Amino acid sequence: MSDRLFDKPVYIKKGRYLTLELSNVHDALMFLHEWPEDDRDLIYETAWKACCDAYDGVKPVIAARNAIQGFARKRDILDIPNPPIPWSASELSNSDQLRV
């Protein structure tokens, strides 16, 4: 299954405070499978087919990732997480350093 991992995860907003991380083709298929049947359209079908084909080895995994990302973008549920701000102890001023 490691050959079906995305190079970078796709993050999907689910509700106001929850974000799903889709890191492989199987995750994408499970997400699409749970999508409401009455809300499935051509974009959904395209993403579903691309993910199925990638799972079967017919298409490259990047095609599935691009398809699920495009589906999420069109549905306005694509989440772009903010990376954490790097810091180091050396950046702290003398007054901010802990004293033992």
Side-chain angles (χ1 to χ4, degrees), residues 30-96:
M30 290 298 96
F31 171 77
L32 291 171
H33 177 72
E34 293 174 3
W35 195 258
E37 287 186 30
D38 60 339
D39 198 19
R40 297 178 182 180
D41 57 4
L42 184 59
I43 297 169
Y44 170 89
E45 294 298 329
T46 302
W48 177 260
K49 180 156 179 24
C51 290
C52 286
D53 287 348
Y55 188 82
D56 292 337
V58 177
K59 285 189 177 181
V61 172
I62 190 70
R65 185 187 183 284
N66 289 343
I68 194 70
Q69 187 174 23
F71 173 78
R73 184 176 290 116
K74 288 292 185 181
R75 296 294 180 153
D76 198 28
I77 57 172
L78 183 65
D79 195 7
I80 311 289
N82 294 327
I85 299 171
W87 64 276
S88 70
S90 64
E91 293 175 358
L92 296 175
S93 69
N94 287 339
S95 63
D96 292 336

Side-chain angles (χ1 to χ4, degrees), residues 14-32:
K14 187 167 183 173
R16 188 170 180 176
Y17 300 106
L18 184 62
T19 298
L20 299 176
E21 178 182 357
L22 307 180
S23 60
N24 57 50
V25 175
H26 182 263
D27 291 348
L29 282 169
M30 290 298 96
F31 171 77
L32 291 171

